[in-house]
Structures are given as C-alpha cells and as structure tokens.
C-alpha cells in the first residue's frame, strides 16, 4: 500500500504542468500559474492553442510556445528519477501574426520609397516636429502611410515583450545576470552592425558616419530594455524582502497571555505574499511612469515645443530643417531628429523607448497573472479603446501633438479660428512621427492592441492559413534584410530604365528625385 501511494503521488506531481506563451525566438518559459490535472493532454485545434485534457479542462496559452514541466517518474523500486525534457506544444500565434502584418505594411512603405512611387508621408512635407503642412498626398499614398505608421511602435512593443519572456526563460535555465547582460549586448551590437552594413555603407557616399533608419534604435532600446528588466527584477526582490522584514510578525521573548487571540496576528506566509504583491505593483507603476515620461520628453525637448514657428508663411513648401538643442548633435542624436554631414538619424533611440517599456510592462503582467485567452484578448481591447480615447483628447484639448499651428491647408485657411484638427478627416488623423508625438503613440498603439486582440481570437487552424504572416512574423529580421536588398536592386533598375525627374529633392541623395 505504501508503495502504491508513493507511485500515485509521484504520478500526480508529473501531471502538474505549467504553461506560458512567448514571442518570437524565445526559449521555454515556466510561469508560476498551475493548471488543472489530467491523465493525458492533447491539443484541440479549435481552442486557439489551448491545452485540453480528458476532463475537458482548458488551460489557456500565453503568447508563445507552451511547455510542461514534469517532476520525475517512478522506477520499479519506488524511487523517482529525472524524466526527459518537456516536449513543446504548439505556440499561440497572435504576436507572430501581428509582427508578420507589420512586416508586410513596412514592405509596402519601403517599396514606394525605393521605386519613387510617391513622397514618403501623408502630406507632401515631412511628418516632422513643427513642419508646416500645406498639401496632402493623394488618397492612395495617404492611406498606405497611415497604415505603415503602426510598424515602428509595434516592433518596439514586441521587442519589450520579448525581453521579458526571454529573460524569464533563461532565469529558469539558470543563467546569471551577467550572462543575460552579455546576450543583450551582443544582440544589440549585431543589430547595430547590420544597420551600418545595410544603410551607411551603401548610402553614405563615403562621408556618413551613422545613418539610423530603425535598426540602430531597435538595438539601443533592446539593450536598455534588457538592462531595465534585470534592474527591475533585482529591486523588486529587494523591496519585497524589505517590506517583509518591516511587517513580519514579531515573536516577543516575554510570556504571552494564555487567552491571546492568535487569529488576529498576521502569519509569516500572509505577510510574505503581501510584500510580494506590493513590490510587484510598485514596480509596474514605475515602468508605467517611465513609459509616460519617455514619450513626454519628446514634447519637452522639442526646440519649439510642438508649435510651428511664427515667422513661417502660408505659402511655405518643403520640410523644416531639423533644429537641435544647444548641447549639440551628439546629444540630440538620442532624443531629436538629426541631419548633419556625419549623422542622419530620423529615429532617435530614446525618443522611441516608450513602446519598448510598455512592452516590458505588458509582458510582466501577462506572465504573472495566468489569465485565460479570452481575458487577455478582452484586456487588449480595453487598452486599445482607452488609448484611442486619449488620442481623441489630444485633438480636442491640444496637447501632445507636436503639430500645433502646422496645418495650413486650404480647409484650415477657410476655417480660421477653428480647431485645426477638426476641420477635415485627414486633419484629425495628422500625427507627427519624427520624433513620435504622444498623439502618434496613443493612436498607433491603440490599433496594435486591437490587432493583437483580433489575432488572439482566431482559431489555430485559421491563423495558420493566413498567407505569409506567420512566416514573416517568425523570421522578421531575415525578411527585413532580404526585402531591403531586393527593393534596392529593383529600384536602381527601374529608375535607370524608366525613371524621370520629379519636382522635389531626394533627402537621401540630395539630388532631384527620380
């Protein structure tokens, strides 16, 4: 009987399986959330990656591959030996689908640039802080550009998520903090090197030192997000220990009354759980504050605080040259758009840090809560709606736009004194990307959260039948490199044989656009 009980207890422990879901190219992650026990499990193709047992228990996946952990298996003599490593089951596909869609939208944008199909923006002028805009692009390029606005903040957000899942998985595998720092640094260096090889060397014409399109900003923010995740984990444990020490029950050495009500005294276990919760919430609040402050810095550091210069005339045409701070271009490089003889950087890394930190916060919440799939999807919808409401407020209350007094279209001239954003449909959705304004970030991240919720509701058999999105989403860097090289070659051929001069100067070549 004793032997049978030992075998039964061990078998039950094997059935205690933990599941998480992780984004692109991340190793197994084990969460703290336990799930229903069952004799065996199988994948239900209609459950969007949920794991279903014999008792019809459903354990929701989180974003990525699901893994089970077995404690051991009994041998003939009743002892327990190590079992093989857990076998991965299919991954939830929402983040991969979102990343794949962003890659497709980005490819449309890059194709138009390389072929010279139309100007790069919703207006004929640059979408830059304080630039006067007096003519819209045609409807097709306007629509294409509005869609591609989703890409940069979406990539940064998914990058932050990936840092959390990657770090948690490596912690479970026994990696030290130093090993993780080295990994983050190496990957950041590789991204920066690819940026130089793809952009600076081919387009620098022997004089540019840095041409930062997007990869360099991704590299810097990947390293910063990784370091911030490590610091957050360390300080979270430290604060939890401190709170536990301050509020833990104190055992007096003096004699206690016999009739003392012991139920009113907090237990060590309850105090420890309370301290952990307080520390977790406090650090989430800190990450949220950093997210807001980092995007607010774009407004504060703007040379004209998002307002068009007073001396600008209605008839002005063309982009406003970037204006820096008194600290020089090497400081401005991190926060503002820079264009000098040696540096062209439309993507200042720290100006794009906000969505990466938001991704860190999102990953922490999803990993810790153990929500079911429909709860995660509903939460994504609520966040998306909230961010869209914030965007509407930026239009109505004139804050966080970086484009005040910049719209000088015919409709604005005919409606002097009215809110410039409420004059027309396209005026309402005009957002500044260089550097990203608060209104830009709320609008684009609202759509990204809603897309993440939509992809999360798709059954697996439907998600896997969407052409190319999974392939692009799971091999994003490879596709990014290949499509840029392909478009560059196609563009040179097309312009050499069929090109004609256009009525504006190409900012990359500083020559007449073709």
């Amino acid at each position: 009987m004793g032997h049978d009980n030992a075998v039964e207890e061990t078998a039950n422990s094997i059935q205690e399986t933990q599941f998480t879901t992780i984004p692109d190219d991340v190793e197994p992650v084990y969460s703290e959330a336990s799930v229903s026990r069952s004799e065996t499990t199988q994948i239900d193709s209609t459950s969007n990656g949920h794991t279903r047992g014999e008792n019809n228990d459903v354990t929701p996946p989180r974003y990525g591959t699901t893994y089970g952990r077995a404690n051991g298996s009994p041998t003939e003599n009743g002892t327990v030996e190590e079992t093989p490593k857990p076998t991965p089951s299919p991954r939830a596909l929402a983040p991969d689908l979102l990343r794949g869609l962003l890659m497709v939208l980005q490819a449309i944008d890059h194709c138009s640039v390389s072929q010279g199909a139309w100007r790069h923006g919703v207006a004929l002028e640059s979408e830059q802080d304080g630039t006067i805009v007096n003519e819209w692009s045609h409807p097709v390029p306007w629509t294409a550009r509005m869609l591609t606005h989703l890409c940069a903040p979406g990539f940064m957000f998914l990058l932050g998520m990936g840092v959390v899942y990657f770090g948690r998985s490596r912690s479970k595998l026994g990696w030290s903090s130093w090993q993780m720092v080295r990994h983050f640094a190496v990957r950041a260096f590789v991204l920066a090197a690819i940026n130089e090889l793809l952009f600076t060397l081919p387009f620098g014409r022997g004089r540019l030192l840095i041409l930062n399109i997007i990869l360099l900003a991704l590299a810097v923010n990947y390293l910063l997000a990784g370091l911030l995740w490590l610091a957050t984990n360390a300080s979270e444990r430290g604060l939890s220990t401190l709170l536990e020490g301050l509020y833990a029950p104190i055992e007096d050495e003096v004699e206690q009354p016999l009739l003392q009500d012991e139920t009113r005294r907090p237990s060590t276990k309850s105090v420890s759980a309370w301290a952990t919760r307080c520390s977790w919430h406090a650090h989430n609040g800190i990450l949220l504050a950093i997210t807001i402050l980092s995007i607010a810095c774009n407004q504060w550091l703007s040379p004209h605080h998002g307002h068009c210069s007073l001396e600008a005339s209605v008839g002005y045409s063309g982009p406003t040259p970037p204006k820096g701070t008194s600290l020089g271009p090497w400081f401005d490089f991190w926060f503002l758009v820079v264009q000098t003889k040696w540096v062209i950087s439309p993507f200042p890394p720290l100006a794009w840090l906000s969505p990466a930190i938001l991704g860190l916060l999102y990953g922490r919440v999803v990993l810790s809560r153990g929500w079911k799939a429909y709860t995660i999807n509903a939460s994504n919808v609520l966040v998306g709606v909230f961010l869209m409401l914030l965007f509407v407020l930026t239009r109505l209350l004139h804050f966080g736009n970086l484009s005040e007094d910049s719209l000088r279209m015919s409709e604005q001239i005919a409606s002097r004194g009215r809110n410039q954003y409420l004059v027309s449909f396209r005026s309402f959705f005009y957002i500044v990307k260089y550097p990203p304004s608060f209104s830009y970030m709320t609008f684009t991240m609202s759509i990204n959260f809603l897309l993440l919720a939509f992809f999360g509701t798709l059954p697996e058999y439907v998600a896997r039948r969407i052409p190319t999105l999974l392939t692009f989403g799971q091999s994003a860097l490879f596709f990014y490199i290949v499509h840029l090289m392909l478009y560059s070659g196609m563009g040179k051929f097309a312009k050499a044989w069929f090109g004609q001069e256009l009525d504006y100067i190409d900012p990359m070549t500083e020559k007449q656009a073709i």
Side-chain angles (χ1 to χ4, degrees):
M1 178 67 78
H3 173 72
D4 293 339
N5 288 338
V7 172
E8 181 178 358
E9 291 175 1
T10 305
N12 286 336
S13 68
I14 296 174
Q15 296 163 7
E16 296 181 355
T17 308
Q18 299 171 314
F19 294 92
T20 61
T21 311
I22 56 180
D24 190 25
D25 96 293
V26 180
E27 295 296 327
V29 182
Y30 302 100
S31 74
E32 291 80 4
S34 59
V35 298
S36 302
R37 296 187 178 98
S38 59
E39 293 296 324
T40 59
T41 59
Q42 60 183 3
I43 299 300
D44 183 353
S45 62
T46 65
S47 64
N48 192 27
H50 292 62
T51 303
R52 189 179 297 276
E54 286 186 351
N55 298 327
N56 211 34
D57 298 319
V58 177
T59 300
R62 304 184 197 167
Y63 291 114
T65 308
T66 56
Y67 288 85
R69 182 199 295 274
N71 294 330
S73 56
T75 60
E76 294 182 356
N77 59 8
T79 61
V80 177
E81 66 179 6
E82 293 296 326
T83 59
K85 292 183 179 180
T87 302
S89 52
R91 61 191 290 149
L93 305 176
D96 288 337
L97 290 172
L98 176 59
R99 189 184 295 107
L101 176 62
L102 297 179
M103 292 303 301
V104 172
L105 295 177
Q106 185 184 61
I108 295 173
D109 192 46
H110 292 166
C111 182
S112 68
V113 173
S114 64
Q115 308 302 315
W118 53 67
R119 289 200 188 185
H120 192 233
V122 297
L124 297 186
E125 295 79 26
S126 172
E127 303 150 342
Q128 192 169 298
D129 172 18
T131 296
I132 299 172
V133 179
N134 55 26
E135 187 176 357
W136 297 115
S137 295
H138 294 294
V140 171
W142 185 90
T143 303
R145 184 58 175 166
M146 287 300 298
L147 291 174
T148 58
H149 275 329
L150 305 178
C151 298
F155 288 138
M156 290 290 179
F157 176 77
L158 293 172
L159 175 148
M161 284 179 58
V163 165
V164 176
Y165 287 104
F166 176 86
R168 183 68 63 90
S169 70
R170 292 308 189 270
S171 295
K172 295 295 183 180
L173 295 175
W175 279 34
S176 66
S177 297
W178 167 244
Q179 286 177 299
M180 293 190 201
V181 169
R182 183 174 60 183
H183 172 84
F184 294 140
V186 169
R187 294 197 70 173
F189 174 80
V190 170
L191 287 174
I194 293 175
N195 179 84
E196 289 294 297
L197 293 175
L198 280 180
F199 301 118
T200 304
L201 295 182
F203 301 107
R205 301 182 301 280
R207 64 178 180 84
L208 273 178
L209 180 63
I210 296 175
L211 178 55
N212 173 27
I213 301 300
I214 183 61
L215 283 184
L216 190 58
L218 284 169
V220 172
N221 289 340
Y222 182 77
L223 177 59
L224 292 178
L227 296 177
L228 182 59
W229 180 81
L230 290 171
T232 300
N233 277 0
S235 60
E236 184 179 353
R237 290 191 297 268
L239 179 58
S240 177
T241 302
L242 177 63
L243 293 175
E244 186 176 350
L246 290 175
Y247 294 98
I250 301 174
E251 299 292 343
D252 294 334
E253 295 181 359
V254 299
E255 225 177 87
Q256 301 293 336
L258 292 176
L259 299 180
Q260 181 178 355
D261 186 0
E262 294 291 338
T263 61
R264 295 184 179 182
R265 301 178 60 194
S267 66
T268 303
K269 184 176 180 180
S270 64
V271 170
S272 177
W274 171 83
T276 301
R277 287 196 304 272
C278 286
S279 182
W280 185 78
H281 285 294
H283 283 79
N284 287 346
I286 293 173
L287 289 176
L288 180 60
I290 296 175
T291 300
I292 297 172
L293 288 174
S294 60
I295 192 63
C297 282
N298 295 345
Q299 187 89 21
W300 297 336
L301 292 174
S302 168
H304 28 64
H305 303 292
H307 286 263
C308 179
S309 58
L310 296 177
E311 64 272 12
S313 62
V314 175
Y316 172 82
S317 179
T320 303
K323 295 181 180 179
T325 67
S326 59
L327 298 176
W330 294 109
F331 173 83
D332 297 342
F333 169 83
W334 301 99
F335 299 98
L336 302 174
V337 175
V338 174
Q339 184 173 342
T340 68
K341 179 180 179 181
W342 302 105
V343 178
I344 296 179
S345 177
F347 288 91
L350 297 186
W352 288 91
L353 185 60
S354 179
I357 305 304
L358 183 61
L360 281 180
L361 176 59
Y362 182 88
R364 279 170 53 87
V365 173
V366 170
L367 270 182
S368 300
R369 286 307 188 188
W371 289 331
K372 294 185 178 181
Y374 65 81
T375 305
I376 295 176
N377 294 331
S379 299
N380 288 336
V381 170
L382 289 176
V383 173
V385 171
F386 174 73
L387 290 175
M388 186 59 71
L389 290 176
L390 281 181
F391 169 72
V392 172
L393 289 178
T394 66
R395 311 278 95 172
L396 299 178
L397 303 180
H398 295 278
F399 72 93
N401 291 306
L402 289 179
S403 57
E404 296 296 331
D405 303 321
S406 294
L407 299 181
R408 308 291 180 87
M409 298 350 185
S410 58
E411 56 260 38
Q412 273 79 27
I413 296 174
S415 305
R416 292 185 184 276
R418 290 186 58 188
N419 185 330
Q420 65 170 358
Y421 302 113
L422 303 183
V423 171
S424 66
F425 176 81
R426 289 199 278 190
S427 298
F428 187 80
F429 290 102
Y430 178 72
I431 46 182
V432 171
K433 182 178 180 179
Y434 305 111
S437 63
F438 181 78
S439 57
Y440 172 91
M441 206 61 72
T442 53
F443 175 76
T444 55
M445 286 309 303
S446 170
I447 303 300
N448 279 319
F449 270 102
L450 294 176
L451 286 173
L452 197 60
F454 169 74
F455 287 134
T457 61
L458 296 179
E460 183 179 349
Y461 71 91
V462 173
R464 292 189 178 278
R465 284 167 173 77
I466 300 177
T468 70
L469 289 193
L470 278 180
T471 302
F472 293 159
Q474 294 173 356
S475 54
L477 182 59
F478 174 79
F479 174 71
Y480 181 83
I481 296 172
V482 170
H483 94 279
L484 283 180
M485 297 176 65
L486 179 64
Y487 284 170
S488 177
M490 291 172 56
K492 291 180 180 179
F493 175 81
K495 290 179 180 179
W497 285 86
F498 309 106
Q500 56 183 343
E501 289 189 354
L502 302 176
D503 59 349
Y504 64 94
I505 301 299
D506 188 336
M508 294 294 295
T509 62
E510 298 179 356
K511 298 179 181 179
Q512 200 73 26
I514 299 176

